[in-house]
Structure formats: structure tokens, C-alpha cells
Amino acid sequence: MVSRVERGPVADWFWTIDRLFLITFVLLMGIGLMLSFAASPAVAERLNLDSFHFVKRHAFFMLPALGVMIGLSFLSPRQVRRMAMLILAASLIMMVLVLFIGLEVKGGRRWLSLGSMSIQPSEFMKPAFVVICAWLFAEHARQPEIPGNLFAILLFGIAAALLIAQPDLGQTILIGSVWGAMFFMAGMPWLWIVVLGALGGAGFFGAYMTLPHVAGRIDRFLTGEGDTFQVDTAREAIIRGDWFGQGPGEGIVKRIIPDSHTDFIFSVAAEEFGIVFCMVLVAIFAFLVLRGLSHAYKERNDFNRLAVSGLVLLLGVQSMINIGVNLELLPAKGMTLPLISYGGSSMTAICVTAGFILALTRRRPEKRAQERSLFRSVAGVPAE
């Protein structure tokens, strides 16, 4: 145990970190490893790999990802901005390279080969994009003569264009939703809301009309016709799990779900551990979002408020999309369940997001002084 009277980076970190956030992130990583044992062996066997190939790789990715999360949680808000700027610049450059030299998987170019490893730059772009947009919105609020809102719009246009070019409409909708929520919290005028909403609707309609895979997924979702094997199998797994599941290792339907270790790991969890377990999992994600928004509500610094809100919404909306697809509430979309699904880029990028959240929600001396000042003003206590 670290003493309260100690002075040093580790001691300060231990006593100022939001430990409930930290415990929740580590808990989700542990649940992800547990579900990897349930979901990935069948996939590995279909690919003629060792049964625990993906389990071993999942565990291998966890250690550096956890290190990234802890390391970033030591940063100050200014250092978070600088780190986000570096990550955003690097990821946007790699997203451009992906269009020319990226690996083509299932009709999309989203992966960049780095020797024996591959990376999905768009995953790292998301948390950095949120932080930089929060900074731009906050700077405009602080100094209206700075065109922060305009720069944020341009940045969103660049990120969205690169995602659509891959093509990846799901990630575009994800960052668009979070960006719109942040803009609204930053005081977006109603005229902007109408204009941007109309542009978003037009863009979605344009994607439906020009991108066959998007139209196909939406049509299959609305009509139930065509190749719906994966979502139908996922639904069957959920139904078979009932309230308390078939038990660890007893799942049968999971063996024929093609992406059971990534996009449809929620269905595997339902079959083996039951609907009650899945409700607990949903509650954990809801807790992260609500706790983050609670922190943001109490925050007087515009940048911290917007960045924390955007980052927790990024986790919340991504988990909502993944779970919605598993429950056939949304059209099929390949999107991981944060810290649960298999994937090195996804896990590391989510840990970047978690590290930023932990860094921005730490209790700092100036923050505690503001809280005391606010309490005194509300209580009518004269200043010291």
C-alpha cells in the first residue's frame, strides 16, 4: 500500500486516480480473456490452428495494452492533448497509406502490414480525434475569435472521408455520433444542428445508393432476405443460452458463428453464461458512461468536460452498436466490443481511450480547489 504522506509520481497517481474507473477497465479486460477461452477455439480449429491460438494472442496483447493504459493515466491534461495530437497525425497518415498499400480484407482496406504484425490505424484515430476536437471546441468557447468549431468540422470531414474511402461506414457513424454530441455540449447553435443533421442524412442516403455492401446490409436487416446466416446464428445462440446459460465450454451454436471471437462474442457470452450475465456486462458499460458523464458534469474546465464526455460516449456507442448487431436491433456491422473482443489494434486503442479517461478524471490540486470554491459559493460560506 502506498502511504498518503509519500510524495512522488506513483504515490500521487495512486491517491488521485479514479480507482472505480481503473477497476472497471481491468475487469472488462479479464472478462474478455475469459470469453476468449469460450469463443476462439472453434474459430482456430476451423483455420487449422492450435485450439488456443487466439487465446494466447489475446493474452499477449493484453499486457502491453494494460501498460499503455497505465502509462497514459500519468499524463496531465496538457500532455494528453499533445499525445493525442501525435497519435492523430500518425494515424491519419497511416489511413492515407492504407488506401494504397493496405491489406484488403472482406472487400475493405483497413489494415496496414508492419512486418509480422498488422495495425488498423482508424482504431487509434478515434480517441485522438475526440480529444483534439474537444480542445478545438473548448478553445472556441474560451476565445470566440479562434475558429475552433470550423477546424473541428474540417477535421471531422477529413476523418470521415478517409473512413468512407476504406470503406468503413460503421466507424464513420460512430465518430459522427460522438462528434455531434460533443458539438452539442459545446453549445452548437440550432442552425448548425439543422444543417449538419441534414448533411448527415444526405450522406447516409448517398452511402446507401452508392455502396452496394451498405445497401445489402440494410436491405437484409429490413427484409430478412439474403445471407443472414451470421446474425441468425448469433440470435440462436442467445436464445439457447436462456437466463443462466449452458455453462462454460458447453456452447454448441458458437462453433458455427464465423466471427464468434470478435464481432459476435456477445452471443457466445449469452449461450454459455446466460442473459443475466449479458445484462451485467451491459450494466458495466452503462456504469462507465454514466460515471464519465458525472465527472464531466462536475468539471469546470471546458476541455476536460468535453474530452471526458466524448471518450466515454465513444466506448458507450461502440458497445451499443456491437450489442445491437448481436441482438438484431441494428444492421450487421463489423465492430468489436470494447476490451472484450479479440484484436490487438482494438484492445490497444481502447486502452488508449481508457488511459486518457483516467488521466483527465484524476483529482488534481487545482481541481480540488475549484470544487471547494464551488461548494462554498453554493453553501453561502465566505471565501477564506
Side-chain angles (χ1 to χ4, degrees), residues 183 187-199:
F183 203 170
M188 179 199 303
W190 282 102
L191 177 62
W192 280 100
I193 295 176
V194 174
V195 172
L196 293 176
L199 289 174

Short mmCIF file of all heavy atoms in Angstrom, two decimals, residues 183 187-199:
data_model
loop_
_atom_site.label_atom_id
_atom_site.label_comp_id
_atom_site.label_asym_id
_atom_site.label_seq_id
_atom_site.Cartn_x
_atom_site.Cartn_y
_atom_site.Cartn_z
N PHE A 183 -20.23 18.47 -30.03
CA PHE A 183 -20.55 19.78 -30.59
C PHE A 183 -21.78 20.36 -29.91
O PHE A 183 -21.86 21.55 -29.60
CB PHE A 183 -20.76 19.65 -32.09
CG PHE A 183 -20.55 20.93 -32.88
CD1 PHE A 183 -20.50 20.89 -34.27
CD2 PHE A 183 -20.41 22.16 -32.25
CE1 PHE A 183 -20.31 22.05 -35.01
CE2 PHE A 183 -20.22 23.33 -32.98
CZ PHE A 183 -20.17 23.28 -34.35
N GLY A 187 -22.25 23.84 -27.15
CA GLY A 187 -23.12 24.98 -27.41
C GLY A 187 -23.40 25.22 -28.87
O GLY A 187 -23.51 26.37 -29.31
N MET A 188 -23.54 24.15 -29.64
CA MET A 188 -23.83 24.29 -31.07
C MET A 188 -25.14 25.06 -31.29
O MET A 188 -26.16 24.73 -30.70
CB MET A 188 -23.96 22.90 -31.71
CG MET A 188 -24.28 22.93 -33.20
SD MET A 188 -24.96 21.37 -33.82
CE MET A 188 -23.69 20.21 -33.40
N PRO A 189 -25.12 26.09 -32.15
CA PRO A 189 -26.37 26.80 -32.46
C PRO A 189 -27.35 25.88 -33.17
O PRO A 189 -26.96 24.94 -33.87
CB PRO A 189 -25.89 27.93 -33.41
CG PRO A 189 -24.43 28.06 -33.17
CD PRO A 189 -23.95 26.70 -32.79
N TRP A 190 -28.65 26.16 -33.01
CA TRP A 190 -29.67 25.30 -33.60
C TRP A 190 -29.57 25.27 -35.13
O TRP A 190 -29.90 24.27 -35.76
CB TRP A 190 -31.06 25.75 -33.16
CG TRP A 190 -31.36 25.31 -31.77
CD1 TRP A 190 -31.32 26.07 -30.64
CD2 TRP A 190 -31.70 23.99 -31.34
NE1 TRP A 190 -31.62 25.31 -29.54
CE2 TRP A 190 -31.87 24.03 -29.94
CE3 TRP A 190 -31.90 22.78 -32.01
CZ2 TRP A 190 -32.22 22.92 -29.20
CZ3 TRP A 190 -32.24 21.66 -31.26
CH2 TRP A 190 -32.40 21.73 -29.88
N LEU A 191 -29.12 26.35 -35.73
CA LEU A 191 -28.95 26.36 -37.19
C LEU A 191 -27.93 25.31 -37.62
O LEU A 191 -28.14 24.59 -38.60
CB LEU A 191 -28.51 27.75 -37.66
CG LEU A 191 -28.23 27.89 -39.17
CD1 LEU A 191 -29.50 27.60 -39.96
CD2 LEU A 191 -27.71 29.28 -39.49
N TRP A 192 -26.84 25.22 -36.85
CA TRP A 192 -25.82 24.20 -37.15
C TRP A 192 -26.41 22.80 -37.00
O TRP A 192 -26.08 21.89 -37.77
CB TRP A 192 -24.63 24.36 -36.22
CG TRP A 192 -23.67 25.44 -36.62
CD1 TRP A 192 -23.58 26.70 -36.10
CD2 TRP A 192 -22.65 25.37 -37.62
NE1 TRP A 192 -22.59 27.41 -36.71
CE2 TRP A 192 -22.00 26.62 -37.65
CE3 TRP A 192 -22.25 24.37 -38.51
CZ2 TRP A 192 -20.96 26.90 -38.52
CZ3 TRP A 192 -21.20 24.64 -39.38
CH2 TRP A 192 -20.58 25.89 -39.38
N ILE A 193 -27.23 22.62 -35.98
CA ILE A 193 -27.83 21.30 -35.75
C ILE A 193 -28.66 20.88 -36.96
O ILE A 193 -28.56 19.74 -37.45
CB ILE A 193 -28.71 21.32 -34.48
CG1 ILE A 193 -27.85 21.57 -33.24
CG2 ILE A 193 -29.49 20.02 -34.34
CD1 ILE A 193 -28.64 21.71 -31.95
N VAL A 194 -29.47 21.81 -37.48
CA VAL A 194 -30.31 21.50 -38.62
C VAL A 194 -29.46 21.22 -39.86
O VAL A 194 -29.68 20.23 -40.58
CB VAL A 194 -31.29 22.66 -38.89
CG1 VAL A 194 -32.07 22.41 -40.17
CG2 VAL A 194 -32.24 22.84 -37.72
N VAL A 195 -28.47 22.08 -40.11
CA VAL A 195 -27.63 21.93 -41.30
C VAL A 195 -26.84 20.63 -41.26
O VAL A 195 -26.82 19.86 -42.23
CB VAL A 195 -26.69 23.14 -41.45
CG1 VAL A 195 -25.67 22.89 -42.57
CG2 VAL A 195 -27.48 24.40 -41.74
N LEU A 196 -26.15 20.38 -40.13
CA LEU A 196 -25.33 19.18 -40.02
C LEU A 196 -26.19 17.92 -40.01
O LEU A 196 -25.80 16.87 -40.54
CB LEU A 196 -24.46 19.25 -38.77
CG LEU A 196 -23.39 20.34 -38.80
CD1 LEU A 196 -22.64 20.40 -37.46
CD2 LEU A 196 -22.38 20.10 -39.92
N GLY A 197 -27.39 17.99 -39.39
CA GLY A 197 -28.28 16.85 -39.41
C GLY A 197 -28.73 16.52 -40.82
O GLY A 197 -28.79 15.35 -41.21
N ALA A 198 -29.04 17.56 -41.60
CA ALA A 198 -29.44 17.34 -42.99
C ALA A 198 -28.29 16.76 -43.81
O ALA A 198 -28.49 15.85 -44.63
CB ALA A 198 -29.91 18.66 -43.61
N LEU A 199 -27.07 17.27 -43.58
CA LEU A 199 -25.91 16.74 -44.30
C LEU A 199 -25.65 15.28 -43.93
O LEU A 199 -25.31 14.47 -44.78
CB LEU A 199 -24.67 17.59 -43.98
CG LEU A 199 -24.66 19.00 -44.60
CD1 LEU A 199 -23.44 19.77 -44.09
CD2 LEU A 199 -24.64 18.91 -46.12
#
